[in-house]
């Protein structure tokens, strides 16, 4: 009995893997079909360009809507646009018919999603758009549909096979709608020159917010920075390293420029009877790795990991140290 169960489980596992493989393959084929469609359908490509111009030049907001799975995709598109510099929000078609149409103005742009292009719940939104001259961008697969024919810009997607074995559950089709929505959002982001600093404004919380913080926001400054001038004895360097607790001390020249650093490793390499009486420049490692304060925390973390170091000095444009950053500061901030 136990052996038969094991064999049954093995057969069941293989069937599950085959099912998953079919779904992923179907999804891949759908994306490839969309890429080919962009390359070969001039009207589709021009429609995307026109949509970007319409939204980018507009003075209002982007209102995205759809029903069912298209509605879920519409919510995601609106959220992606809103987080990347394009003012956008989702309106449910049913709620729109019960008062929320008043949220939409003539300066806005409507993006309506319907795979068939015949979703009845969108009718009132189309009527309203025509009455108040609100431009409509549709995402559908039916060029001759009611939705496409009543849109200023119809983004007609290629008809693809659904991953659902019955061809009913929106799967590949929903993925293509999402891909086009993401493409619009990213093109608008690039058109506006939306920067990582701008992105941080909309994502202040969580790990993403931490990664988008700048180095100077996390660094230790002023009296916390362990520094000594060239010519000072190593005895003072050891005291400074111990007092500041970073396991390193920066050495500055007569102009205040960071010219080297002394680490615990340098102490071990130069261990001798006269170590404490030697001048710091005889022991320091020259050309230390540094960072500027306007670098992203995530980039600083990657730099530290790449060079297997735990501490970075922050320098200004002249090369003078203005702060120090320990990898523990990044970890505490949630960057990793």
């Amino acid at each position: 009995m136990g052996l038969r169960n094991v064999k049954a489980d093995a057969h069941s596992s293989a069937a599950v893997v085959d099912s998953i493989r079919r779904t992923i393959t179907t999804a891949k084929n759908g994306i490839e079909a969309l890429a080919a469609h962009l390359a070969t359908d001039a009207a589709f490509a021009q429609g995307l360009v026109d949509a970007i111009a319409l939204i980018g030049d507009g003075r209002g907001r982007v209102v995205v809507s759809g029903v069912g799975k298209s509605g879920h995709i519409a919510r995601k598109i609106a959220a992606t646009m809103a987080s990347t510099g394009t003012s956008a929000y989702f309106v449910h078609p049913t709620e729109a018919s019960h008062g929320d149409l008043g949220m939409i103005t003539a300066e806005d742009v409507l993006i309506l999603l319907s795979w068939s292009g015949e979703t009845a719940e969108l009718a009132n939104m189309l009527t309203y758009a025509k009455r108040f001259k609100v431009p409509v961008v549709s995402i559908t697969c039916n060029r001759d549909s009611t939705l496409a024919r009543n849109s200023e810009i119809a983004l007609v997607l290629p008809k693809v096979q659904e991953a659902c074995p019955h061809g009913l559950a929106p799967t590949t089709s929903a993925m293509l709608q999402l891909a086009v929505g993401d493409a619009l959002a990213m093109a608008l982001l690039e058109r506006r020159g939306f920067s990582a600093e701008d992105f941080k404004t909309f994502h202040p919380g969580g790990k993403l917010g931490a990664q988008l913080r700048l180095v100077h926001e996390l660094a230790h400054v002023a009296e916390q920075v362990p520094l000594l001038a060239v010519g000072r004895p190593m005895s003072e360097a050891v005291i400074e390293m111990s007092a500041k607790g970073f396991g390193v001390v920066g050495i500055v020249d007569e102009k205040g420029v960071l010219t080297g650093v002394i680490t615990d490793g340098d102490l071990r390499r130069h261990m001798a009877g006269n170590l404490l009486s030697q001048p710091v420049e005889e022991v320091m490692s020259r050309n230390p790795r540094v960072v500027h304060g306007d670098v992203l925390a995530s980039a600083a973390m990657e730099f530290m990991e790449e060079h297997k170091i735990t501490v970075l000095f922050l320098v200004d444009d002249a090369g003078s140290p203005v702060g120090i950053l320990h990898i523990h500061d990044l970890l505490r901030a949630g960057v990793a």
Side-chain angles (χ1 to χ4, degrees):
M1 180 66 71
L3 181 59
R4 283 197 296 272
N5 285 340
V6 170
K7 289 182 177 178
D9 289 344
H11 175 75
S12 177
S13 296
V16 168
V17 171
D18 284 343
S19 174
I20 291 171
R21 184 181 294 110
R22 286 194 300 272
T23 298
I24 293 174
T25 300
T26 304
K28 177 179 73 70
N29 293 341
I31 289 295
E32 290 176 349
L34 180 61
H37 188 58
L38 176 62
T40 58
D41 192 313
F44 177 64
Q46 187 59 49
L48 290 167
V49 172
D50 293 343
I52 294 302
L54 176 65
I55 297 170
D57 293 338
R59 294 181 295 177
R61 297 161 298 179
V62 176
V63 183
V64 195
S65 189
V67 177
K69 302 300 184 292
S70 292
H72 293 302
I73 299 300
R75 287 181 185 274
K76 168 60 169 63
I77 293 172
T80 300
M81 286 186 172
S83 70
T84 53
T86 300
S87 182
Y89 64 95
F90 172 82
V91 171
H92 194 284
T94 301
E95 298 299 330
S97 298
H98 291 273
D100 283 0
L101 283 172
M103 301 167 63
I104 305 170
T105 73
E107 293 185 341
D108 297 333
V109 174
L110 269 174
I111 297 180
L112 302 181
L113 281 68
S114 169
W115 188 248
S116 68
E118 300 295 344
T119 302
E121 291 88 342
L122 295 176
N124 287 337
M125 297 190 78
L126 282 174
T127 301
Y128 180 89
K130 289 295 182 184
R131 178 183 177 186
F132 293 99
K133 295 182 173 55
V134 182
V136 174
V137 176
S138 60
I139 302 178
T140 179
C141 79
N142 188 350
R143 192 179 304 276
D144 298 320
S145 65
T146 300
L147 178 58
R149 287 186 285 103
N150 287 278
S151 302
E152 277 66 31
I153 301 171
L155 301 178
V156 182
L157 306 182
K159 294 181 180 180
V160 292
Q161 178 185 352
E162 300 287 11
C164 170
H166 308 299
L168 299 175
T171 47
T172 315
S173 58
M175 183 185 64
L176 262 59
Q177 289 177 321
L178 179 59
V180 170
D182 283 344
L184 290 173
M186 294 305 100
L188 288 165
L189 176 153
E190 294 175 3
R191 187 182 193 269
R192 288 191 169 91
F194 194 81
S195 67
E197 183 65 19
D198 296 323
F199 205 87
K200 174 191 168 186
T201 302
F202 296 103
H203 301 78
K207 182 175 180 180
L208 183 57
Q211 291 176 329
L212 292 170
R213 295 181 69 178
L214 300 181
V215 164
H216 74 79
E217 298 177 60
L218 303 173
H220 305 268
V221 297
E223 297 300 320
Q224 295 176 301
V225 184
L227 294 173
L228 273 182
V230 293
R232 306 307 301 171
M234 279 299 302
S235 57
E236 294 184 14
V238 172
I239 294 172
E240 183 73 357
M241 289 173 66
S242 300
K244 300 299 172 62
F246 291 101
V248 65
V249 60
I251 309 302
V252 295
D253 62 17
E254 61 278 1
K255 296 181 180 179
V257 174
L258 187 70
T259 188
V261 296
I262 298 172
T263 66
D264 293 332
D266 293 316
L267 293 180
R268 290 192 294 272
R269 283 188 292 272
H270 292 82
M271 192 63 67
N274 65 339
L275 172 64
L276 297 181
S277 61
Q278 292 185 53
V280 291
E281 58 268 28
E282 295 296 325
V283 177
M284 71 182 186
S285 296
R286 299 180 182 275
N287 301 315
R289 293 186 174 93
V290 297
V291 67
H292 289 280
D294 58 356
V295 170
L296 289 175
S298 57
M301 173 66 84
E302 183 178 347
F303 185 80
M304 287 182 171
E305 291 175 340
E306 178 185 353
H307 295 285
K308 296 179 173 58
I309 56 178
T310 59
V311 178
L312 277 174
F313 278 92
L314 279 65
V315 297
D316 59 19
D317 291 339
S320 298
V322 293
I324 187 169
L325 181 73
H326 196 284
I327 195 169
H328 289 167
D329 301 317
L330 298 172
L331 295 174
R332 277 192 294 269
V335 175

